[in-house]
Amino acid sequence: MPSPAELSARVRAAAIRDEAGPAADVERGPVEPGQTGDAAVDEALRVLDGLAERPLTEHVAAFDAVHGALQDRLAEAQG
């Protein structure tokens, strides 16, 4: 199972690729560390903040919530 940091990095990379679309040379503004540049994705990932300190029994619900939010965002992006 990926750690929250690995999951965040994957989502950030996917968001960047999604924004670039076919024109990979599109210039981007600065993105703060821990941010993806997509407010909905960033909000979804905040659920993972401090997850390592929470009881293991809460992890599945947190990952499920993030997964659902990211699926919703992807559906919005795809139109």
Side-chain angles (χ1 to χ4, degrees), residues 7 10-11 14 31 33 54 56 58 63 70 72:
L7 180 60
R10 288 182 192 172
V11 170
V31 175
R54 288 189 259 161
L56 188 58
E58 295 179 17
F63 284 126
L70 294 177
D72 291 346

Side-chain angles (χ1 to χ4, degrees), residues 1 3 5-6 8-10 13 17 19-21 23 32 36 51-53 56-57 64-65 72:
M1 176 182 296
S3 72
E6 291 170 328
S8 178
R10 288 182 192 172
R17 283 193 309 272
E19 288 177 13
E32 296 294 320
T36 65
L51 187 64
E53 290 80 34
L56 188 58
T57 56
D64 188 48
D72 291 346

Side-chain angles (χ1 to χ4, degrees), residues 23-79:
D25 60 344
V26 173
E27 288 189 37
R28 303 196 194 308
V31 175
E32 296 294 320
Q35 301 289 311
T36 65
D38 184 304
V41 172
D42 293 339
E43 181 64 30
L45 292 176
R46 277 194 262 291
V47 172
L48 301 178
D49 289 348
L51 187 64
E53 290 80 34
R54 288 189 259 161
L56 188 58
T57 56
E58 295 179 17
H59 290 203
V60 172
F63 284 126
D64 188 48
V66 171
H67 183 252
L70 294 177
Q71 282 183 315
D72 291 346
R73 178 64 186 109
L74 181 60
E76 290 172 12
Q78 292 178 341

